[in-house]
Amino acid sequence: MSSAKEESFKSVIDPVTGEFKRPAAQFRNFISSKPNAEFPPEKGRYHLYVSYACPWAHRTLIMRNLKGLEEVIDFTSVHWYMDLGSVSWLFATPDENLPGENVVPDPINGAQNIKELYFLANPNYAGRFSVPVLWDKKHKTIVSNESSEIIRMLNTEFDGLVKEEFRDVNFVPAELREKINEMNAWIYDDLNNGVYKSGAAKKQEAYEKAVIAVFESLDRIEAILQSSSGPYLLGSQLTEVDIRLYPTIVRFDPVYVTLFKTNTKTIRDGYPNTHRWLQHLYWDIPAFKETTSFEHIKKHYFTSLTPLNPEGIVPYGPVPNIREKEQLDWA
Ligand SMILES: N[C@@H](CCC(=O)N[C@@H](CS)C(=O)NCC(=O)O)C(=O)O
């Protein structure tokens, strides 16, 4: 492990408590359909840079697909390997044949890595070189590198450009907005980011605090799904809460249980309702399965987060990565 990698990992760890603190994203502009917006919705103008491995980027791919934005916003995925403490995410090179759609050399800026994009947008940028990145081809800049805000833009601001059938599809409907925001908040803290807090903790107490919060929130999710009137967290309607939770749950058994030591239980054997919810999303709604690459996910985490797994050995299991669906009865 190089010292740069160690330093990069340490930079997000509180030196006193040993707790992981995720730094805030720095590009926070909004695409808006309001008149005179700086970033108006336009077909072909914006490009999403993602990694199939990254759970935050995964949300944006799911939303893009669910909102029928395939012909409005194009995307590129980076290579599954992330060079921690150096250039971060790398684009595929022309000779590489990597799994998944659009895992290709950068078609927009010809960059070799994600770091270059941040400096193209702002030569004085000082921060992390994370995905997702929503790029504006017209002004050659980053609109946003915050997934929670990118998915809100995709949910509503391109409605004038999508096919009729997608126009009224709203994953944050007004009557559920407050509830969605409230659930997103604790799910983010304790689960989406909670698994990272568990995995990155440098002290026993910090780890235990994080892992306990992970399983308390999984218990809460399980109870919500058990009493739900439909297949989703808020009943019969698929909402943003499901979209934001899925990338964490689908990675849980294949990666987090081992690499991040969130090993009290697995989803498949410990949480029947959450497992059924996961299987339903993955097997029945193409936006979820089509954007899930277990190969990118497993190879990324186990080979890139070298402070946690110095030899870079990728575990063989679980087999399968996700179980086939049992007969579901939502009637
Ligand atoms: N707040 C960001 C977080 C994104 C994030 O942390 N992405 C990770 C990958 S899963 C990343 O690119 N890390 C690279 C780095 O920090 O250098 C969001 O939700 O969009």
Side-chain angles (χ1 to χ4, degrees):
M1 175 172 44
S2 78
S3 65
K5 287 180 202 279
E6 230 170 299
E7 284 312 309
S8 162
F9 213 61
K10 271 194 206 142
S11 68
V12 290
I13 305 288
D14 183 309
V16 178
T17 62
E19 288 174 316
F20 172 75
K21 308 259 193 239
R22 184 175 296 277
Q26 294 190 34
F27 291 91
R28 309 295 283 268
N29 302 297
F30 277 83
I31 291 172
S32 167
S33 51
K34 295 202 181 95
N36 303 321
E38 188 185 357
F39 298 101
E42 274 173 35
K43 185 175 175 179
R45 173 164 168 177
Y46 302 98
H47 192 80
L48 257 180
Y49 288 105
V50 300
S51 153
Y52 281 111
C54 169
W56 318 100
H58 195 169
R59 305 165 159 181
T60 67
L61 280 184
I62 295 169
M63 188 63 100
R64 172 182 173 273
N65 188 318
L66 286 172
K67 282 294 297 190
L69 286 163
E70 290 91 336
E71 274 152 38
V72 177
I73 303 174
D74 37 25
F75 81 94
T76 305
S77 171
V78 290
H79 195 293
W80 40 263
Y81 177 68
M82 182 186 79
D83 195 352
L84 188 69
S86 172
V87 292
S88 180
W89 298 98
L90 304 144
F91 287 102
T93 52
D95 54 305
E96 279 173 316
N97 189 11
L98 296 161
E101 192 192 354
N102 295 344
V103 189
V104 290
D106 176 10
I108 309 300
N109 295 296
Q112 308 290 305
N113 54 61
I114 289 288
K115 183 176 178 174
E116 286 179 29
L117 300 178
Y118 278 83
F119 286 122
L120 276 177
N122 174 7
N124 301 316
Y125 178 76
R128 298 176 76 78
F129 309 110
S130 58
V131 287
V133 165
L134 183 59
W135 182 264
D136 177 6
K137 297 179 202 172
K138 191 165 172 185
H139 293 318
K140 297 196 184 341
T141 195
I142 297 175
V143 179
S144 174
N145 66 337
E146 174 48 50
S147 63
S148 59
E149 293 169 5
I150 295 172
I151 61 174
R152 289 273 164 116
M153 300 173 213
L154 304 193
N155 183 43
T156 54
E157 298 311 300
F158 291 85
D159 282 0
L161 298 171
V162 293
K163 292 198 189 104
E164 188 78 43
E165 65 205 272
F166 294 104
R167 253 168 237 170
D168 297 327
V169 182
N170 185 351
F171 297 101
V172 193
E175 68 281 9
L176 294 175
R177 197 181 177 97
E178 210 174 308
K179 183 76 192 153
I180 288 171
N181 288 342
E182 179 246 306
M183 287 186 73
N184 280 342
W186 62 261
I187 293 174
Y188 171 81
D189 269 344
D190 296 342
L191 211 41
N192 301 138
N193 198 37
V195 292
Y196 283 86
K197 291 193 233 176
S198 172
K202 286 280 189 193
K203 292 196 174 165
Q204 185 69 30
E205 301 77 51
Y207 160 68
E208 283 181 17
K209 187 170 144 196
V211 78
I212 286 168
V214 165
F215 283 93
E216 279 175 359
S217 62
L218 280 176
D219 291 345
R220 239 173 126 181
I221 300 276
E222 179 70 7
I224 291 168
L225 285 169
Q226 185 165 16
S227 60
S228 175
S229 56
Y232 306 111
L233 285 155
L234 293 175
S236 56
Q237 206 177 340
L238 177 69
T239 69
E240 190 193 66
V241 187
D242 301 287
I243 296 167
R244 289 177 41 139
L245 180 61
Y246 171 85
T248 298
I249 301 297
V250 82
R251 285 163 179 71
F252 203 87
D253 292 358
V255 175
Y256 302 148
V257 167
T258 44
L259 190 70
F260 287 173
K261 306 186 191 82
T262 53
N263 64 352
T264 311
K265 293 187 210 171
T266 59
I267 301 296
R268 62 191 63 197
D269 294 317
Y271 290 99
N273 291 286
T274 310
H275 188 216
R276 210 171 302 129
W277 166 90
L278 172 70
Q279 290 174 307
H280 169 54
L281 294 179
Y282 182 88
W283 293 109
D284 299 340
I285 306 177
F288 291 87
K289 183 166 186 279
E290 284 171 9
T291 57
T292 302
S293 167
F294 287 109
E295 196 169 349
H296 278 261
I297 290 171
K298 288 184 66 171
K299 285 185 173 165
H300 161 67
Y301 279 95
F302 287 102
T303 68
S304 309
L305 301 190
T306 43
L308 299 180
N309 190 38
E311 288 78 22
I313 306 287
V314 182
Y316 187 67
V319 181
N321 288 310
I322 181 164
R323 287 190 187 145
E324 294 289 331
K325 197 160 66 101
E326 300 117 43
Q327 210 55 40
L328 298 178
D329 183 13
W330 300 113

